[in-house]
Amino acid sequence: MKRSLIRLKYIHHEPDPPVHPEPEISNQSQHAAEPVEHSRVIAICLLAGKIMLQSGGETYRVEDTMKRMAAALGLPHSHSYVVPTGIFFSVDATEPAKLIRISERTTDLDKVSEVNAVSRRIGQGLLTVQEAHELLLEIERKPSGYSYAVQLAAAALSSACFTIMFGGGWGDFLPALICGGTGYAAVILFHRWVRVKFFAELTASFVIGMLAFLLVYVGAGFERDKIIIGSVMPLVPGLLITNAVRDLMAGHLVSGLSKGAEAFLTAFAIGTGIAVVFSLLM
């Protein structure tokens, strides 16, 4: 019986080089970078909403702009709640809601338009987070588009034109021009001294009434009621009333009612100032 022998050739294997395991990134490190980016996006959305709300933007427009910006920057599940005195904004259940306080509100529709333009460029992917933030900061720091001299001139001219529109004669054009410009200047001046808008508007309407009576008394005007009506028109909160109605129609009941109440207080202040003048001089 033959025995078959299987010769095994020994092959020398070189040891494999040691494999160094890649450092594992802990879950805490992975999630640490995300909140930073989220925080920047939240800051951008809050800044945009603040500029729009301070400049006379409607509540529903502010919420819609913030939501669109957040979705375009990678946060599709965002929630915003806007009232005339504050903005609440949250992105998801894990992030705490952010609050920003709105203390002063003016009318500057140019800034509202510029923020909308930035929002559209973000939605088209034309702006990064850093570029959008810088543009919004630039818009916020931008002064009003019109100087006080231009605003006073516009208020005076519109007062005179309203007087003619409400049935006044051309002899009342110049007195209404003077009363309207003086009353608008009084609002700006008194609002610097007293931060309560109600008292500034009440005092300005009182000045308009007294000046109208004086001009008619010296023979510079003829119909003081037409002069007064035209002169107080620049003080009437037309944009505020319009925004209140639009917010109510859009379902924002809290914002609509609060803006309506603010408009009512302004109208009450104007009427009270004129009524005091009539009660004193009639």
Side-chain angles (χ1 to χ4, degrees), residues 229-246:
I229 292 173
S231 301
V232 300
M233 286 303 293
L235 307 182
V236 174
L239 180 63
L240 194 61
I241 296 174
T242 303
N243 288 346
V245 174
R246 294 186 69 177

Side-chain angles (χ1 to χ4, degrees), residues 151-163:
Q151 294 180 36
L152 291 178
L157 184 60
S158 62
S159 299
C161 294
F162 274 121
T163 299

Side-chain angles (χ1 to χ4, degrees), residues 103-106 148 183-204 262:
S103 56
E104 293 185 1
R105 295 178 299 278
T106 58
Y148 286 127
Y184 196 82
V187 167
I188 297 175
L189 182 62
F190 289 130
H191 191 56
R192 290 181 179 178
W193 292 346
V194 182
R195 302 306 297 177
V196 181
K197 187 179 178 183
F198 176 85
F199 294 107
E201 292 164 344
L202 189 150
T203 309
E262 185 178 355

